[in-house]
Amino acid sequence: MQIEAAVLRAADAPYTIESLDLADPGPGEILVRVAGAGMCHTDMLGRVPGDLVAKPVVLGHEGSGVVEAVGPGVTGPTVGDHVVMSFDSCGECANCRAAKPGACPQMTALNMLAMPLDGTPRATGPGGEPVHTRWFGQSSFASHALGTARNVVPVTKDVPLDVLGPLGCGVQTGAASVLVSLGVRAGDSIAVFGAGAVGLAAVMAARIAGASTIVAVDLHESRLDLARELGATHVINGADDDIAGQIRAISGGEGVQYSFDSTAVPEVVSTAVASLRTTGVCGLVGVGAAEYRLDANLLLMGRTVKGIIEGDAVPHTFIPRMIEMWRQGRFPFDRLVTTYPLAQINEAEADTTSGKVVKPVLIP
Ligand code: CXF
């Protein structure tokens, strides 16, 4: 079938809206008519010079939509279901069986190569050339996407479908890091470094958990204002001096029980660790750094640094949980969203890069 998609043909090229020929769903595949797709920092890996992400490629890994067709062997979801598209996983390895699909050893192969494991492209461009359309099992910057039963999550039909996509990755990562991976509880203290979509989801989740001290740190005052509205008890501009000292002062002189970094900026991560009290845990989800510098003496005194992927969430249970919290008015993730027509994807990218908007969602 013919679909419309935003194609990235080179790391430094603008996205171009093109007609592609998408294959019918094969064994285990699910065809989704996309209602909306969030743009996440990981999509920017397509901008890294060279072939880190193969091209031409359709990016987008926070899709939502309606199931239009299913391939042989798919026992659910079914045609007409409303779905959120999340990351893909094998479902068979030890980590998938232990409810940690984000730690699937096939994470890179299934999600970041943007090509099915059998190497057969599912889409071709105008000249018949292959186009990579399996980015995070979906490539949802498009009118239609092919997913799998592992990454296509059925959701209730009585909520606005077009803005649900970010629940598949960024919002899930922030919220589940707090509620599942770190296990923040009532009365705990947490400092969140980076108040983009991931960090703001972490702030909302910390409020839901009942944390009594929630400190948000960011360079953008507008994001700090939003963090305060969403549950932060204290905000600090990241350009200030002695941020770890300020956080210790806020938390009784000892430091916070948890810190959380979504920036992947090495100096910020060092500060996040230095903000912890002894026995504190720092969760890291940021993408893009090669190395971090950790103070051995801080760790020696019983602090823990924990790498977290996708919040340690199981999408099929955590996405419906977030929707329920939203319905209860406790998790207003839609306040992070600004919608753009898919044709304005380049403007959306510029606006999220500059910090003008938090979470663009592209509507085909
Ligand atoms: C990513 C984070 C970096 C590793 C792969 C998964 N999650 C979403 O963008």
Side-chain angles (χ1 to χ4, degrees):
M1 69 182 292
Q2 288 297 115
I3 68 165
E4 292 282 295
V7 181
L8 190 69
R9 290 188 169 271
D12 57 357
Y15 289 93
T16 47
I17 304 295
E18 302 183 20
S19 278
L20 303 179
D21 191 35
L22 186 69
D24 290 338
E29 292 180 338
I30 297 165
L31 176 68
V32 175
R33 176 164 44 82
V34 176
M39 182 177 273
C40 168
H41 192 72
T42 304
D43 294 311
M44 307 303 172
L45 292 177
R47 295 296 187 195
V48 174
D51 293 330
L52 180 67
V53 176
K55 313 207 183 41
V57 65
V58 179
L59 297 169
H61 64 287
E62 295 184 342
S64 62
V66 181
V67 174
E68 276 208 345
V70 299
V74 174
T75 53
T78 54
V79 173
D81 278 357
H82 288 195
V83 295
V84 171
M85 304 183 84
S86 192
F87 63 94
D88 206 1
S89 55
C90 79
E92 290 163 10
C93 68
N95 287 331
C96 283
R97 292 199 313 274
K100 301 237 184 283
C104 175
Q106 303 239 59
M107 183 71 177
T108 301
L110 287 169
N111 293 286
M112 304 181 84
L113 301 185
M115 184 63 78
L117 290 182
D118 66 9
T120 310
R122 300 294 196 265
T124 49
E129 83 278 21
V131 177
H132 292 72
T133 55
R134 194 52 74 90
W135 179 245
F136 283 78
Q138 52 186 290
S139 291
S140 47
F141 291 159
S143 61
H144 295 76
L146 279 177
T148 73
R150 289 288 300 170
N151 78 316
V152 173
V153 179
V155 296
T156 176
K157 288 189 175 171
D158 58 352
V159 293
L161 182 60
D162 53 350
V163 297
L164 293 186
L167 298 181
C169 184
V171 171
Q172 169 167 257
T173 295
S177 290
V178 167
L179 295 173
V180 178
S181 185
L182 295 175
V184 173
R185 291 182 299 185
D188 282 339
S189 53
I190 182 168
V192 174
F193 291 79
V198 174
L200 289 169
V203 166
M204 287 188 277
R207 177 162 72 176
I208 290 168
S212 52
T213 301
I214 305 170
V215 187
V217 185
D218 199 277
L219 291 169
H220 296 281
E221 285 297 328
S222 58
R223 292 185 174 193
L224 293 177
D225 290 344
L226 189 51
R228 216 188 261 284
E229 289 174 33
L230 295 174
T233 57
H234 303 76
V235 298
I236 301 176
N237 191 302
D240 280 5
D241 290 332
D242 192 15
I243 291 176
Q246 290 192 49
I247 291 173
R248 279 196 296 275
I250 289 167
S251 48
E254 292 188 1
V256 281
Q257 181 67 39
Y258 296 101
S259 59
F260 175 75
D261 177 78
S262 61
T263 72
V265 176
E267 296 75 27
V268 175
V269 168
S270 297
T271 304
V273 175
S275 303
L276 291 173
R277 79 183 207 211
T278 51
T279 77
V281 183
C282 174
L284 304 181
V285 300
V287 179
E291 289 183 344
Y292 293 127
R293 200 182 152 88
L294 300 173
D295 181 326
N297 288 313
L298 289 177
L299 300 185
L300 191 63
M301 295 306 289
R303 295 172 179 86
T304 300
V305 177
K306 183 178 190 187
I308 304 173
I309 182 148
E310 303 286 351
D312 287 341
V314 176
H316 281 76
T317 52
F318 198 74
I319 290 171
R321 182 175 165 192
M322 286 186 285
I323 291 174
E324 194 51 37
M325 295 189 298
W326 172 81
R327 201 203 297 275
Q328 294 165 350
R330 300 193 295 151
F331 190 65
F333 73 91
D334 48 327
R335 294 208 42 205
L336 313 181
V337 167
T338 304
T339 58
Y340 294 78
L342 181 60
Q344 288 177 18
I345 185 170
N346 293 302
E347 186 182 333
E349 184 185 35
D351 287 351
T352 188
T353 303
S354 72
K356 183 174 166 191
V357 304
V358 176
K359 173 60 76 179
V361 169
L362 298 152
I363 311 288

